[in-house]
Amino acid sequence: MKAKGIVLLVLVVMGLLSINWWGGKAPATEPPIKLKIATSTTPLSAPLIIARELELFKPYNLDIELIPLRGGHLCFQAMIQGVADLATSSETVIMFNGFQRSDFRLLASFVESDNDLKLLTLNDEQPKSITQLSDKKIGMVKASSSEFFADAFLIISGHQQQDFQKVFMSPQALGPALLAGDVDAISVWEPFGYKLIEEHGDTIYQYPGKGIYNLSFNLVTSAVNARLHEKQHADILRALKSAQNFINQHPQSAKQIISDYLDISLSELEWAWNDYVFRLSLNNSLISNLHAQARWAIASGAVDAQTTPDFRLLLDDSALKQALDN
């Protein structure tokens, strides 16, 4: 037994020596690249959540941390401040920030919805008309899709001449403000609208607004990171594409994952799920939407500017082209 052990040891040593003799090495495993994504705690972030929970980033040697925040406006700030490397954001947040800075890039849209924003008021059992909001207080989140939707609702419904007072607050404060009578109506995104209606039922009235505003949810990063991490961004988008395929092929499993991650009920998730279109894109319709919202922001006095930014300079499709190139 001892002789066999010695022979085996000699063979192992000779093997190691031969590796060194030929200059070979056991392949070293590169540590994964760590990136942080500020992620809005809404079902709109579903592809990112699915990709993270199913470890779809791992094949690309990426260690992705999702930083949950309540709203794309906070996610954008986290990215600009360096707390996160990338962020999720609606195009309205991008539009507002485009007036102030040009040091960020929009990499891709990954989901769209024409029914994510809600205009809600208290139900006093009287017939409802949008004209009743004239000279009233409407709660909304400043420099976000919430603010744009309130104005867009009135414009598209033919009541743009109405004068109302904008009351700015955090999204989580909108519902309590409405119930307390501090505001007469609120413009709020999901899942806050659902929670308010679910908890207070017929006390809440929802103005019919499906199709008034087509929201896109996007992935943004700094201009510097767009240059330094183009390959990693392409891989992130590839993982999102895989996540979107999973959502389309296994909708019930996908919804369960989102429900568990966001700690919301499946019934709450179902409330808006069918309004979502999951796909990667970066097209002219987004540019047109950004310019239309910018013109609104100038005309309404939401920004102190006379000309719209050239949003085409903020779009970087380099990573997207790689991700979609099969």
Side-chain angles (χ1 to χ4, degrees):
M1 292 295 294
K2 288 184 178 179
K4 289 183 179 179
I6 292 172
V7 170
L8 180 60
L9 178 60
V10 170
L11 290 174
V12 170
V13 171
M14 288 179 65
L16 292 173
L17 288 174
S18 66
I19 290 174
N20 289 332
W21 176 264
W22 293 105
K25 292 182 179 178
T29 302
E30 292 185 6
I33 296 175
K34 296 183 178 182
L35 294 173
K36 297 179 181 180
I37 305 178
T39 306
S40 184
T41 51
T42 163
L44 287 166
S45 298
L48 274 170
I49 296 170
I50 294 289
R52 181 68 180 87
E53 294 300 287
L54 296 185
E55 299 186 340
L56 299 180
F57 297 114
K58 279 196 172 182
Y60 304 105
N61 202 35
L62 292 173
D63 180 5
I64 300 297
E65 177 186 350
L66 303 185
I67 302 176
L69 295 170
R70 289 181 175 268
H73 61 305
L74 296 179
C75 293
F76 190 96
Q77 291 175 17
M79 181 271 295
I80 289 296
Q81 294 167 359
V83 177
D85 302 289
L86 302 101
T88 62
S89 168
S90 72
E91 81 285 345
T92 307
V93 172
I94 292 168
M95 179 274 295
F96 274 115
N97 280 278
F99 279 99
Q100 302 173 6
R101 58 196 318 134
S102 59
D103 58 348
F104 67 94
R105 295 294 180 265
L106 198 169
L107 302 179
S109 298
F110 57 87
V111 64
E112 299 172 21
S113 173
D114 68 350
N115 197 30
D116 194 67
L117 275 292
K118 305 291 189 295
L119 188 63
L120 306 175
T121 187
L122 294 179
N123 195 351
D124 55 9
E125 299 184 355
Q126 298 297 319
K128 293 298 177 186
S129 169
I130 198 70
T131 58
Q132 295 171 341
L133 294 179
S134 182
D135 299 321
K136 302 295 185 180
K137 296 178 180 178
I138 300 182
M140 61 193 70
V141 182
K142 185 176 178 60
S144 74
S145 56
S146 166
E147 181 177 0
F148 174 72
F149 179 70
D151 276 345
F153 196 107
L154 295 175
I155 292 171
I156 293 176
S157 61
H159 300 90
Q160 64 266 38
Q161 300 303 321
Q162 284 196 79
D163 191 18
F164 62 89
Q165 181 181 346
K166 295 181 179 182
V167 181
F168 298 120
M169 60 187 74
S170 67
Q172 55 266 38
L174 289 169
L178 178 63
L179 294 171
D182 296 332
V183 294
D184 301 288
I186 59 172
S187 175
V188 65
W189 54 69
E190 297 297 354
F192 296 104
Y194 169 85
K195 289 181 177 178
L196 200 59
I197 294 172
E198 177 70 10
E199 293 175 8
H200 301 281
D202 293 339
T203 303
I204 306 299
Y205 175 80
Q206 176 184 329
Y207 288 98
K210 180 177 172 62
I212 284 181
Y213 167 48
N214 192 59
L215 174 145
S216 69
F217 225 46
N218 312 279
L219 198 62
V220 296
T221 189
S222 68
V224 172
N225 279 339
R227 293 192 301 271
L228 295 179
H229 296 291
E230 181 180 316
K231 179 185 181 301
Q232 287 74 37
H233 295 162
D235 288 338
I236 288 173
L237 294 179
R238 289 187 180 100
L240 291 187
K241 186 179 179 182
S242 298
Q244 290 168 340
N245 290 336
F246 180 85
I247 291 171
N248 293 329
Q249 295 170 10
H250 308 284
Q252 292 307 123
S253 298
K255 282 184 278 190
Q256 188 62 61
I257 292 171
I258 302 304
S259 172
D260 293 341
Y261 184 89
L262 294 178
D263 193 23
I264 60 178
S265 66
L266 283 173
S267 59
E268 178 177 339
L269 191 59
E270 293 281 4
W271 170 261
W273 188 263
N274 290 334
D275 297 318
Y276 298 154
V277 178
F278 297 104
R279 62 185 174 196
L280 290 176
S281 64
L282 200 60
N283 50 42
N284 289 331
S285 63
L286 177 59
I287 291 290
S288 298
N289 197 0
L290 286 167
H291 280 288
Q293 292 191 31
R295 289 192 294 272
W296 156 80
I298 293 172
S300 66
V303 297
D304 184 15
Q306 300 299 320
T307 58
T308 63
D310 187 350
F311 293 106
R312 293 173 299 178
L313 301 179
L314 300 178
L315 270 61
D316 187 340
D317 63 356
S318 303
L320 180 61
K321 284 181 178 178
Q322 293 182 44
L324 297 181
D325 184 6
N326 294 320

